[in-house]
Structure formats: structure tokens, C-alpha cells
Amino acid sequence: MNERFTVGRYLVDRLHELGLDHLFSIAGDYSIEWLNRYVTPSSVQIIEEVNEVNAGYAADGYARLKGIGALCVTYSAGALCAVNAVAGAYVEKVPLVLINGTPSTKKTLTFEQTGFSAHHFISGRETDQQSFEHITVATVRIDNPDLAPLMIDYALTQCISERRPVYVELLEDVVDLECEPPRGVLEPARVLSDEASLEQSVEQICARLDSAENPLIWVGVEIDRLGLQEKAMSLIRELNVPFATELLSKSVLPEDDPQFFGVLDGQASSATVADLVKRSDFILALGVWLTDINSLGWEPDFDTTAFASMDAVKLGTYFGGQVALEHLIDGILEKQVAPKAWNPPEKPVRGAPTTDPTDPITYQGFYDFIQQHVDKDTIVGSDSSLNYFGSLLLDVPGQGAFVAQSSYSSIGYIGAAATGLCLAKGPTKRVMVFSGDGGFQMTAQCLSTQTRFKLNPIIFVMNNGVYGVEQWLADSTVFHTDKPFYESCVLHPWNYSKLSDVFGCKGWKVGTYGELEHAMAGALANSTSPSIIQVLVPGKSIPDNAEWKTQ
């Protein structure tokens, strides 16, 4: 070898090659030497996090914008804290690399054969690896320097091919051992389709598109995960049809496009989208994942909806297996289906909210107000909460500028994910996220990391004093009756805005629209730290498009 390469350097170089500029980390003695000797002097900046869950959520948010994210933890006590974050990334197809600093071979053998335990051990060398096998697409244990390049390349190639997390166990005694240097550039594996299934699926869909008078394209999250935005837009243009998205894929294509009409999310959809679906005689769902969050109170018509996702096409009784979404779109484009002549429905024009500065804020009123502050440079994020409803109807003009973990729906995600979003965004962008108060209590230390690194997200904490969405899911009639909230849904009150004093950032508590306007001016002017805005809303106030379940 002309240049000395070690396992530790190999891993850093491969990660940076894939576009990683920041690594989220929690200090641990099994990983600290790799971080100090190899990551610190590299082009990858270490972001020292406060706990493993926050690090995982931050890496997840980062990966959604950058295409790759990574976190480094220590064995068992650290890694097992990150399980929930990795599980969410697995469900939502987010390319995440978990690097687990692991005890040496000698310590492992000593524990397994004599019972003398090194700290963090549970049951030997397989505990952590087995824990992650079902929520990653590759788990590798780097315990041999000669095999390290092969195993690292395999795991990272799986990550970028499957768009899902991988797990890399990096033994503390292997980090400094010499290995072969990287060869070539890592690229995703080829996309494969069964030719017969692909041809049949294209024929089935094109026949429906030909005969349909009012088709609609429903754009799903796989369009984003697989990088098919341009192909999807070409198909929409060629067919001359309207399109909608789902909550998980909101803003994957530009929302200011004249052929976009909103988010299709069951009974939470706008009246315009609901009417469009009602008029449509064929819906082509490209990359849509059916979940109870994407179909709230609504059953799709499977006889008139073609679902092309997860490498298959489903339409009525037809099933086409091993059909890659990219190849399907290419096949439909090649058929050159005649464009439709359609009269688009009138898009409602949003007016400025008519509120008095002294009026108390309501949940819906907050979202009516905040729309004026969302532009092409705004990245919007929503937590699993009643904020899903309010943010669903926001106009978010920036492409790829909306983030929600709406399939896995782990509350507390968005505040910590905002750390990664801020680091991955472009220099002109501003991150604005909406959290419930219950969720924010779970990951509030995100303010510490954001303040430390001078990141400037605007975090709205909707303070209604309850786990509102949990109550809504269990018994939504509470919101329109005198019935009390379930005791299990009532929160211990926090003075959220005062956390700014604890962490050294900026904070406001607002209860009227005048106070909210003042806080927004201050938050937008604050460029060097996070801004937390505690929004006081009545406990039984909910967004308008959540009302359907309360009747």
C-alpha cells in the first residue's frame, strides 16, 4: 500500500464520500478513540448530542435532506437507547448509519468464557447486533481489518440502495489496524424489475389512463426516497392531470405548481382535494404508502386506484410483483398516453386572517396566522400531534421543504430532528417546526445542542396541557362536550418559554395574536440560536380538519 490506511480512516472516508458532513455523537469510551483520532481531523464535523434518541432523530432529519445521516454511540447502554430512532428511520426508508463503538475482542472473550464483565455488557458479542437485525438492512461486526473494507462497503451500499438504516459494530481494538484503501466509488445497487410484470403493469395502467375522463395522480413518499421527482413531474405534465400528495410526501413536488391541489389524507383533506377525489374515475398512486394516518376516516376505492409502491402494482384484483417504480414511470412515459383536457377546479384564495391583536389564539387560528410566514425559503416540520392537521393544509412552496414522521409517528421527533434539518439545509433556508407540548417534553434537550452549535430553528410548542392527539384517537368527543380528558392524557405543566434561560437561547410565551406577531418578529431576527415560542391554546381547541371525528 502506498498510503497507510486504517479501519478507522476507511469508515470516515467512505461516509464523507457519500455526502456526510456532520456526525451526531454521544461520548463513550468504546468509540471515543475513533472520534478523536479519525473523525475530528477529517472533513466530517462531530455534533456532540445530549442523548442517543435525540442524536438518532437529528441524524434522521439530516438524512432526509442530505441523503445520508449517521450517529455514533457506545455499546449497549448507548446503542439500545437509539433503537426507537433507528426503527422510525427503517419504517420511513431513511438512509441512516448507526456506528456502535464496541468492546475489544479480548474483553468479549474474557466475559464469554470467564464471566468477568466489562461495563455495558449484557450477554456477549451478539446482544446489540441481534437487537438491530430487524430494524436495519445490514448489521456488520468489524472485528478483522482484512475484512473491514468489504464489510463496510457492503453495509453502506445496502444503506444507499435500500434507503434504510444499517448497523456497524466498530471494535475498539480494530480501529487503528491497517487495511486496504477504498477502491472505486460506492453506488446504489441496480434497480431490478421482472420484465413480464413490468409490461403487464404498464399496460394495465395505461389502459385505465386512456379510458379515464378525470384521472388524478397521488404522489407518495417513494418519489422522494428514490429521487424520482423529475420523472414524476414529467408524467404529470405529459398526462396534463392534477396531482395531490400524502402527508408523508407533502411538498415532494412544488406546491405552487398549477397542477397541484393539496394533500389527500382522508377526511382531513381540504374540500378542494375531497371534491377532486370524488370526481376522479381513476387514481394513480405513485409511491404511496397506505397507513391509517394517510387514510383518516376514508377507504380508498381499490378498483379505481392503482397503487404502485414497494416494488409492486396493485389494482383491483391485479397484482404485478417486482415492478420498480422508476421503471414503471419510464414505461408509462414511453407509451405517450394522450394528454387529458380538464377544467381545473378553482383553487381557494387564502386571505389574511382577520383577528384582533387581543384575541386569544386557537389551534386553527394559529395556522391561519402562520401561513404568511411560510415562503420558499422555509423548511416546515410537524410532530406527531394535532399539528399534523394544521400543517397538512399549509401551503409550503419550497420543494422538499416539509418533514413529518407520519408513518412511524413517534411523538417528540420533530424538535430533535430540527437539529439535523438546520445542519443539512441550504444557507438561505430557515427551519420552522410545530410540536405538541407532550412530545416536546420527551426531547426538550434538543435546545441544548441547537444553542451549542448556533443553530436557529423556530420551534412552536402548542401548549394545550394534554396529549391532544392521543385523546383525539381514543375518544374525540371530549373536544365538544363537558367530558374530562383522560387522566393519562393530562400533562404536568411546564413553562416552556423559560427553557430559553436554561439553555441560553431565545423564548417567548404567547396567548394572543398580537403577542404571537411580536414573538415571530423576534424569532425571525434571531439568527444565532433556537427560538422557542410557547403558544397557549385552550385544551379543547383543535384544527378545523380534525373536527370530523368529534361529531
Side-chain angles (χ1 to χ4, degrees):
M1 294 183 289
N2 296 327
E3 185 180 2
R4 182 177 181 269
F5 248 83
T6 61
V7 173
R9 180 181 170 188
Y10 190 100
L11 179 56
V12 175
D13 283 7
R14 279 305 203 197
L15 287 169
H16 186 57
E17 173 193 304
L18 292 176
L20 190 81
D21 294 317
H22 300 87
L23 174 76
F24 300 90
S25 169
I26 304 292
D29 60 328
Y30 293 135
S31 59
I32 202 163
E33 293 305 322
W34 178 66
L35 293 168
N36 288 345
R37 293 181 193 173
Y38 297 102
V39 184
T40 298
S42 77
S43 300
V44 176
Q45 182 184 1
I46 298 174
I47 305 298
E48 293 86 359
E49 265 287 2
V50 290
N51 61 55
E52 289 79 8
V53 173
N54 278 27
Y57 290 157
D60 178 297
Y62 185 89
R64 291 180 192 233
L65 297 190
K66 283 283 281 186
I68 188 80
L71 65 154
C72 179
V73 297
T74 199
Y75 197 66
S76 289
L80 299 183
C81 284
V83 164
N84 191 55
V86 175
Y90 180 84
V91 168
E92 304 221 343
K93 299 196 78 167
V94 178
L96 196 67
V97 182
L98 174 66
I99 299 143
N100 189 9
T102 305
S104 67
T105 302
K106 181 179 178 180
K107 288 177 183 175
T108 304
L109 289 171
T110 300
F111 174 62
E112 290 176 342
Q113 296 187 29
T114 72
F116 186 92
S117 180
H119 55 285
H120 301 336
F121 266 128
I122 299 174
S123 62
R125 73 184 71 194
E126 296 183 351
T127 309
D128 286 20
Q129 194 168 357
Q130 288 178 341
S131 298
F132 285 94
E133 281 180 350
H134 299 292
I135 54 173
T136 61
V137 291
T139 60
V140 296
R141 179 179 171 86
I142 310 300
D143 56 8
N144 185 308
D146 295 336
L147 298 177
L150 178 67
M151 299 179 80
I152 291 171
D153 286 0
Y154 162 71
L156 297 183
T157 301
Q158 279 287 90
C159 182
I160 61 175
S161 300
E162 298 292 328
R163 315 300 294 169
R164 276 186 160 143
V166 296
Y167 169 88
V168 177
E169 233 174 59
L170 186 63
L171 271 66
E172 59 178 341
D173 57 333
V174 177
V175 171
D176 292 328
L177 298 183
E178 290 193 38
C179 68
E180 290 288 325
R183 299 184 185 280
V185 177
L186 297 183
E187 294 182 351
R190 286 181 298 145
V191 177
L192 301 175
S193 291
D194 178 84
E195 289 300 325
S197 288
L198 174 61
E199 185 177 342
Q200 291 168 8
S201 298
V202 169
E203 291 292 340
Q204 288 271 349
I205 290 172
C206 287
R208 291 295 189 99
L209 287 170
D210 266 327
S211 61
E213 293 184 4
N214 295 299
L216 169 69
I217 290 184
W218 190 10
V219 175
V221 67
E222 286 186 7
I223 295 297
D224 171 71
R225 299 298 191 264
L226 302 176
L228 301 177
Q229 292 92 334
E230 288 187 13
K231 287 181 184 288
M233 205 70 245
S234 294
L235 182 60
I236 290 165
R237 293 278 185 263
E238 181 173 294
L239 295 174
N240 191 37
V241 295
F243 73 94
T245 55
E246 53 178 338
L247 179 59
L248 194 57
S249 62
K250 180 175 170 62
S251 91
V252 163
L253 298 181
E255 292 197 346
D256 56 0
D257 188 277
Q259 287 171 258
F260 173 74
F261 281 87
V263 176
L264 171 52
D265 200 332
Q267 294 199 47
S269 308
S270 68
T272 303
V273 172
D275 182 61
L276 199 63
V277 172
K278 187 176 180 181
R279 292 169 48 193
S280 296
D281 48 1
F282 177 63
I283 297 175
L284 175 54
L286 296 174
V288 169
W289 296 343
L290 269 187
T291 76
D292 55 356
I293 301 296
N294 289 339
S295 57
L296 287 165
W298 171 69
E299 281 292 330
D301 185 342
F302 294 99
D303 289 326
T304 60
T305 305
F307 286 94
S309 57
M310 301 182 182
D311 289 325
V313 173
K314 291 83 69 177
L315 172 57
T317 58
Y318 173 77
F319 177 82
Q322 199 181 358
V323 178
L325 185 58
E326 178 180 358
H327 296 161
L328 181 76
I329 296 174
D330 286 340
I332 299 171
L333 284 167
E334 287 174 7
K335 292 292 184 180
Q336 296 185 336
V337 177
K340 300 295 174 181
W342 61 290
N343 294 315
E346 193 75 23
K347 287 187 179 182
V349 178
R350 287 182 186 267
T354 54
T355 55
D356 188 281
T358 61
D359 285 347
I361 299 169
T362 66
Y363 227 121
Q364 183 60 48
F366 168 80
Y367 276 98
D368 291 341
F369 172 92
I370 212 66
Q371 178 65 69
Q372 64 189 304
H373 295 289
V374 178
D375 59 25
K376 283 197 171 186
D377 287 326
T378 309
I379 296 173
V380 174
S382 176
D383 209 30
S384 178
S385 60
L386 292 171
N387 289 292
Y388 275 174
F389 295 99
S391 62
L392 184 151
L393 299 183
L394 282 177
D395 294 328
V396 181
Q399 184 168 347
F402 182 84
V403 175
Q405 197 201 50
S406 63
S407 183
Y408 190 63
S409 282
S410 183
I411 66 173
Y413 164 84
I414 200 61
T419 305
L421 296 175
C422 286
L423 290 163
K425 68 176 179 60
T428 64
K429 306 293 183 182
R430 191 70 185 266
V431 173
M432 181 187 298
V433 301
F434 311 111
S435 175
D437 43 2
F440 191 74
Q441 287 190 10
M442 294 186 174
T443 54
Q445 291 153 291
C446 64
L447 294 173
S448 176
T449 306
Q450 292 158 5
T451 302
R452 177 179 184 175
F453 290 95
K454 295 181 169 53
L455 307 178
N456 63 350
I458 302 172
I459 300 176
F460 295 95
V461 179
M462 304 303 288
N463 183 191
N464 58 7
V466 294
Y467 286 121
V469 74
E470 308 298 344
Q471 179 68 64
W472 184 88
L473 289 166
D475 180 5
S476 58
T477 63
V478 167
F479 291 96
H480 275 307
T481 65
D482 292 332
K483 290 196 297 186
F485 291 110
Y486 290 168
E487 189 63 30
S488 58
C489 290
V490 177
L491 297 167
H492 176 67
W494 286 19
N495 196 344
Y496 298 94
S497 62
K498 291 298 182 182
L499 291 174
S500 61
D501 296 335
V502 175
F503 295 115
C505 55
K506 302 285 188 180
W508 294 264
K509 180 190 286 187
V510 302
T512 67
Y513 293 103
E515 292 169 344
L516 179 57
E517 184 66 62
H518 172 75
M520 274 304 302
L524 290 169
N526 176 26
S527 61
T528 58
S529 76
S531 298
I532 178 171
I533 302 178
Q534 178 182 357
V535 183
L536 301 173
V537 290
K540 294 194 175 183
S541 175
I542 61 176
D544 288 351
N545 58 333
E547 295 281 4
W548 59 270
K549 194 172 182 286
T550 67
Q551 308 306 318

